[in-house]
Amino acid sequence: MSSLLAFSAGNATDCLPFVAEGHHVGFVRWDVLKTLKDFPNVFTFHSHCVELNQNLKTYEERSWRMAETLEVMRQKYNFPALRGWRNEVCMGLLAPINFPIVAVVKNHKLLCLVFSGLFGIRQYGVDINGYVNDPDLGFCMWLQQRSFTKPTWPGRWDSMAAGGLTSGQGILESVCKEAAEEASIPSHILNASLRPSGSVSFFYEDERGLFPQTEFVYDLELPLDFMPVNADGEVECFQLFPLHEILEKIHSSDFKTTSCPVVVDFLVRHGVITSENQPDLPQLVEMLHSPVHVLFDSISHGKELQVQVVEENSASLSPSPLVVTTCNSTVCCLSLSLSLSILLCVLFHLGMNICYDG
């Protein structure tokens, strides 16, 4: 895998920090920045960042003004992120347990990925790895196929149950909500077998925008006779996969890109991916836990920050690390923005090289 560590994108995109209430909460790409200049009452522009206007004093005022701005942008500009709405609350958070900076509301329908992607808001979510020890098939995982009507990743295979943290809900509460809505998992099974299993984090970009993301991961061993059933219309079907098929699935184009790290993390923790079949295991594990907090800590402490991110499916092999600078001195150099692109390449090799006998 050593040659893959140099993998990066040729079309790197510069972006500026997005600041609200004195806190660094996201990133704005230049294509978005050009349109924000049409809203001088909402945004203030500095040489090193874009700031939410300080005259917007309250959480509610910031929320409604941002919603109005997005509605105008949706009508005037052709951003892919603005082609669909999500009926959930999206908060700009300093941390999942900290206070919100802004929620985005439109006609009581709250826009999640729209706001997060365009403004590079750090996102938090929950993922449940459902698995069984089948006497015939061995160690197996339940996966869902996302509904073909979903605005994001339609028809792709995904974790058994997952979702973003929403306003007013804690992490465990969100886990229970997603388990019930997406897979009809009863509370007595969750109480008996749900296990918190850490988190994964990465920085991802696609046509919708920038996504610094942290997923809180839970493992759930299910009874052999349990069959997940969707209750919210967001899942096409569920299927139980033995581990060798999981490896094939996650490096295919049929799998949701941003869920790959969650499944790889599960396979590492359960001894499927090991130092014996993956010599570069330490690098792989590091890529599953990219320190995205470093990006936000820097500007929050008054340091100027510049960042480059990588687009999916790039073929360039010239290194292009993410650079954090303070004044004229380099304080940190990370390949954070490359991690998910590299990981996807590694998955291909894992699928080719790892054999699991169950």
Side-chain angles (χ1 to χ4, degrees):
M1 192 187 74
S2 59
S3 62
L4 296 174
L5 295 176
F7 180 86
S8 73
N11 298 321
T13 305
D14 293 324
C15 52
L16 286 178
F18 178 48
V19 176
E21 287 290 284
H23 298 284
H24 178 202
V25 296
F27 292 96
V28 180
R29 298 191 305 196
W30 290 108
D31 58 336
V32 178
L33 179 65
K34 290 184 294 184
T35 67
L36 299 186
K37 292 181 179 180
D38 292 344
F39 308 95
N41 294 327
V42 182
F43 304 101
T44 303
F45 303 91
H46 306 282
S47 61
H48 64 285
C49 71
V50 181
E51 185 178 17
L52 195 60
N53 196 311
Q54 294 184 12
N55 292 325
L56 304 176
K57 299 295 185 181
T58 66
Y59 172 70
E60 291 76 17
E61 187 178 9
R62 291 189 293 269
S63 298
W64 283 105
R65 185 57 64 89
M66 283 295 298
E68 293 171 351
T69 300
L70 286 174
E71 176 62 21
V72 174
M73 292 174 66
R74 185 179 70 86
Q75 296 178 13
K76 190 175 180 180
Y77 304 107
N78 188 33
F79 288 111
L82 296 174
R83 296 172 188 163
W85 306 116
R86 295 293 300 274
N87 188 25
E88 295 178 349
V89 180
C90 172
M91 298 185 296
L93 298 173
L94 302 181
I97 59 173
N98 232 332
F99 66 89
I101 295 297
V102 61
V104 184
V105 186
K106 179 61 182 175
N107 295 331
H108 304 292
K109 291 189 176 182
L110 305 164
L111 319 179
C112 185
L113 293 179
V114 170
F115 176 59
S116 296
L118 282 181
F119 292 88
I121 304 298
R122 185 176 182 184
Q123 294 190 84
Y124 296 88
V126 295
D127 279 78
I128 303 173
N129 295 308
Y131 69 97
V132 299
N133 282 297
D134 188 275
D136 299 318
L137 299 175
F139 201 76
C140 301
M141 288 186 71
W142 280 104
L143 297 180
Q144 64 157 275
Q145 185 180 29
R146 296 164 64 87
S147 170
F148 287 100
T149 62
K150 286 184 71 69
T152 57
W153 312 100
R156 299 284 189 96
W157 288 94
D158 198 353
S159 303
M160 181 185 69
L165 291 184
T166 55
S167 179
Q169 290 189 328
I171 296 171
L172 185 57
E173 187 179 0
S174 294
V175 169
C176 296
K177 169 180 172 290
E178 297 298 338
E181 292 180 354
E182 293 199 353
S184 300
I185 302 173
S187 58
H188 71 271
I189 292 181
L190 294 175
N191 293 336
S193 302
L194 187 69
R195 298 290 181 268
S197 304
S199 65
V200 300
S201 55
F202 49 88
F203 197 110
Y204 176 73
E205 179 184 17
D206 65 14
E207 64 174 4
R208 296 166 299 146
L210 306 172
F211 301 93
Q213 194 158 332
T214 296
E215 296 290 319
F216 295 96
V217 180
Y218 286 74
D219 290 351
L220 179 64
E221 184 171 6
L222 292 163
L224 289 174
D225 60 354
F226 177 79
M227 176 73 69
V229 176
N230 181 243
D232 63 3
E234 296 190 356
V235 177
E236 199 71 22
C237 67
F238 291 93
Q239 187 169 334
L240 188 65
F241 289 92
L243 286 182
H244 70 277
E245 292 185 20
I246 292 289
L247 289 168
E248 296 173 2
K249 185 64 69 177
I250 61 177
H251 81 264
S252 74
S253 60
D254 295 335
F255 203 85
K256 179 173 176 275
T257 303
T258 53
S259 293
C260 286
V262 175
V263 178
V264 173
D265 172 71
F266 178 87
L267 297 178
V268 169
R269 290 186 291 101
H270 287 267
V272 179
I273 300 175
T274 69
S275 57
E276 298 300 318
N277 54 40
Q278 178 46 252
D280 293 308
L281 181 65
Q283 292 96 317
L284 179 62
V285 172
E286 287 176 7
M287 286 187 285
L288 297 173
H289 303 89
S290 298
V292 294
H293 65 278
V294 172
L295 305 180
F296 297 90
D297 288 347
S298 296
I299 193 70
S300 296
H301 290 103
K303 302 172 184 177
E304 184 173 344
L305 182 146
Q306 297 173 338
V307 61
Q308 290 183 317
V309 295
V310 172
E311 296 178 353
E312 184 187 12
N313 297 330
S314 170
S316 171
L317 293 177
S318 59
S320 177
L322 179 153
V323 179
V324 180
T325 62
T326 302
C327 299
N328 294 322
S329 62
T330 299
V331 295
C332 187
C333 181
L334 303 170
S335 293
L336 173 59
S337 61
L338 313 181
S339 61
L340 192 54
S341 296
I342 300 172
L343 180 59
L344 296 178
C345 292
V346 174
L347 293 180
F348 175 79
H349 288 266
L350 286 173
M352 298 296 292
N353 295 333
I354 294 179
C355 295
Y356 184 74
D357 296 328

